Amino acid sequence: MKILVYGAGNIGSLYAARLKESGRDVSILARGQRLEDIREYGIQLEDYVTGVQTTTHVKAVERLDPGDLYDLILVVLPKTAISDVLPILAADGRSSRVMFLCNNAAGPGEMVDALGGESVLLGFPGTAAVTHDHRIRYLILSTLEQPTTIGELDGSRSPRIKVIGGVLEKAGFPVAISPNMDAWLKTHVAEIVPTACALYMEEGDPRRLSRSDESLHLMLRAIREGYRVLHAARIPITPAKHRIFEWLPERVIPALARRMVASDTTAIKIG
């Protein structure tokens, strides 16, 4: 499988390097100094848990030209950048599988309008990564916490989504195939925005947040308010296990949240 990773930030670089190490034909699209650095030094990673450092040389390209053919394009960019790249992806015209790995509460409409429904796949990375001493320090999240989650627009477990899942798993990324990826992304936003706001209230300090019952209660109430909005829009909470935040007594939630935000890996997860 010939793969293009469109976006050379920390997460995109991590996926490109791990896919290349697993034996795939991988290119990464980068620009400016990042392009030059990858060409000269490769993608330099450091495992957050083990401390193991690796350098992987991945073919770096500056643009996607019309007529370039890839079996899969992974677009790993902020949602705010998607509108700018859609005309470029549309002009390519030959790559039939384009997976957008990003936060996206707006739905796939813009992507479908540009590329056609058959080409668009949705996903979200199951990783965290930050720059540290000229390397990318990374953490791959477990299946129990948040695997790399991918899906077809119609929710089917199609042959192609299974193949892509297998490719990612071989590269060391636990994978879940969601039957409703759009709802998954909307649920994620309903949870992550209150969590980020609670952290801002505590000056970005996870351990300080873990000691603040007031901030934790506000975070929970905001998540529940987001869920009510989703219910009103007839969007299911996805995955369904996250509905635990709806039925658990409020007095119990801070103890659970406290353990999560005070963990040793929280700092890298919030970047």
Side-chain angles (χ1 to χ4, degrees):
M1 178 178 286
K2 186 177 181 182
I3 301 170
L4 173 68
V5 177
Y6 198 121
N10 291 339
I11 299 294
S13 297
L14 170 60
Y15 276 87
R18 294 293 297 248
L19 286 163
K20 175 65 183 300
E21 290 294 336
S22 71
R24 301 297 169 181
D25 180 355
V26 179
S27 300
I28 186 167
L29 193 147
R31 295 191 175 91
Q33 188 60 51
R34 183 62 181 148
L35 174 68
E36 298 305 317
D37 287 346
I38 293 175
R39 285 175 171 172
E40 184 170 358
Y41 304 111
I43 296 175
Q44 299 176 312
L45 303 177
E46 178 184 339
D47 189 308
Y48 182 81
V49 175
T50 67
V52 172
Q53 297 182 354
T54 58
T55 299
T56 305
H57 291 277
V58 178
K59 180 183 177 182
V61 299
E62 190 171 9
R63 61 185 176 271
L64 176 64
D65 290 323
D68 285 350
L69 180 61
Y70 294 95
D71 299 304
L72 174 66
I73 298 177
L74 290 178
V75 181
V76 191
L77 293 169
K79 175 61 171 65
T80 52
I82 297 301
S83 295
D84 293 333
V85 305
L86 285 175
I88 300 169
L89 293 167
D92 170 57
R94 298 183 65 196
S95 300
S96 61
R97 289 179 275 192
V98 183
M99 177 171 285
F100 294 86
L101 287 177
C102 63
N103 265 316
N104 177 23
E110 180 185 25
M111 304 161 187
V112 171
D113 288 344
L115 305 177
E118 291 298 315
S119 295
V120 175
L121 302 161
L122 299 178
F124 194 84
T127 63
V130 296
T131 303
H132 178 77
D133 290 342
H134 307 293
R135 289 183 175 270
I136 297 170
R137 178 179 281 179
Y138 71 92
L139 175 70
I140 296 177
L141 305 180
S142 70
T143 300
L144 292 176
E145 186 171 7
Q146 183 189 293
T148 296
T149 308
I150 61 176
E152 291 276 8
L153 296 185
D154 65 3
S156 66
R157 293 181 64 88
S158 65
R160 69 175 181 175
I161 205 72
K162 291 179 183 178
V163 168
I164 294 169
V167 167
L168 291 167
E169 286 180 335
K170 187 177 178 182
F173 300 102
V175 171
I177 298 175
S178 174
N180 192 337
M181 197 64 219
D182 182 46
W184 191 102
L185 290 165
K186 287 177 167 62
T187 301
H188 179 75
V189 169
E191 296 167 351
I192 200 64
V193 171
T195 304
C197 289
L199 278 165
Y200 291 146
M201 287 178 64
E202 301 300 335
E203 299 182 359
D205 185 340
R207 295 194 180 277
R208 178 170 157 173
L209 174 59
S210 73
R211 296 190 294 267
S212 173
D213 282 351
E214 179 184 4
S215 294
L216 290 172
H217 278 288
L218 283 172
M219 181 180 76
L220 170 62
R221 291 168 190 166
I223 290 172
R224 286 177 166 174
E225 182 176 353
Y227 283 2
R228 287 194 292 273
V229 171
L230 294 177
H231 285 311
R234 300 184 181 279
I235 297 167
I237 306 304
T238 307
K241 66 181 181 181
H242 284 215
R243 296 191 65 182
I244 189 174
F245 290 110
E246 293 185 296
W247 59 262
L248 272 181
E250 187 169 327
R251 67 180 183 275
V252 176
I253 297 294
L256 297 176
R258 189 171 289 114
R259 284 206 296 268
M260 290 189 294
V261 300
S263 72
D264 292 337
T265 59
T266 299
I268 188 172
K269 292 175 188 174
I270 65 173

